[in-house]
Amino acid sequence: MRSLAERGVAGTTVATISKEAGASRGLLGHYFANKDDVMVAALQHLFGRISESVRGSVDRMEGTATEKLLAVPVSLFAGATFTELNRTAFLALWHETRFNEKVRKANRQLYRDYIIRMDHMVRAAAQEQGVKIDAKQVALGFIALSDGLWLGLSIHDDVLTGEQAVDLCQDYLRRELRLV
């Protein structure tokens, strides 16, 4: 992860990955056929780590389905999740999806799972509020908004703050749930 964050995909080699991991190139070659496979594993690891962090913080909280849904952006932009390492590694991997079919395929599957999880959360909150909405559409809108804010904050951290990103995401969800 660190090599991706510091050097980007183009500057990341089997040698830099091995050095950062404290493992031999041979050991890395034993588990991964090529650099593309390492990039897929890095994306899956990063996405999984962030997903688990968000899911864990939401699952641990007491509250209604609506309160848990509104807690997602808080966790997404929290210090433990929204680290410089995570942001810069994601930037490198998002860029790689344009050129690398293996990474694009893995990213597509990870996003399908993310959409399903968010759809379930939105659906539960809408049912709790007694509103009829297209939960999948709201989930997609939330993901697009939060990803855009992650990207924007990763590139221009002087334009807005994490707190503003949370507010924007929560405002979107509240409007869609007709809470305002």
Side-chain angles (χ1 to χ4, degrees):
M1 223 43 71
R2 193 167 318 287
S3 181
L4 280 170
E6 291 175 3
R7 296 174 184 88
V9 173
T12 296
T13 64
V14 172
T16 63
I17 295 166
S18 298
K19 183 178 178 185
E20 290 291 339
S24 72
R25 291 174 69 169
L27 183 62
L28 195 64
H30 177 75
Y31 289 101
F32 302 101
N34 52 45
K35 183 177 163 182
D36 289 352
D37 291 346
V38 175
M39 295 301 114
V40 168
L43 176 64
Q44 291 168 333
H45 174 75
L46 181 60
F47 206 104
R49 188 172 67 197
I50 291 170
S51 294
E52 286 304 313
S53 176
V54 171
R55 189 178 306 132
S57 69
V58 170
D59 287 349
R60 282 189 301 277
M61 73 175 281
E62 304 250 342
T64 65
T66 303
E67 290 168 335
K68 288 184 175 204
L69 178 62
L70 292 171
V72 171
V74 174
S75 185
L76 266 176
F77 293 97
T81 305
F82 195 66
T83 65
E84 184 175 348
L85 176 65
N86 286 348
R87 291 191 319 264
T88 54
F90 248 129
L91 278 175
L93 290 163
W94 275 334
H95 183 262
E96 184 67 3
T97 63
R98 293 184 54 219
F99 308 102
N100 185 319
E101 181 57 33
K102 285 184 176 183
V103 175
R104 184 172 33 257
K105 184 178 177 185
N107 188 65
R108 194 175 298 124
Q109 185 57 52
L110 292 164
Y111 267 85
R112 281 186 187 122
D113 296 343
Y114 184 22
I115 291 164
I116 290 167
R117 284 193 309 272
M118 289 306 301
D119 175 52
H120 288 295
M121 291 187 78
V122 170
R123 193 174 307 281
Q127 183 176 0
E128 180 180 273
Q129 295 303 319
V131 296
K132 291 203 181 290
I133 59 174
D134 184 339
K136 184 174 182 181
Q137 193 72 11
V138 173
L140 288 169
F142 170 78
I143 291 168
L145 176 60
S146 61
D147 276 2
L149 291 166
W150 252 69
L151 179 63
L153 280 163
S154 298
I155 297 171
H156 307 289
D157 61 358
D158 60 339
V159 174
L160 75 155
T161 66
E163 293 80 19
Q164 289 170 310
V166 169
D167 289 345
L168 289 165
C169 288
Q170 288 180 332
D171 288 348
Y172 168 77
L173 293 169
R174 285 187 185 104
R175 278 193 311 279
E176 293 298 322
L177 292 170
R178 296 175 182 84
L179 298 175
V180 291

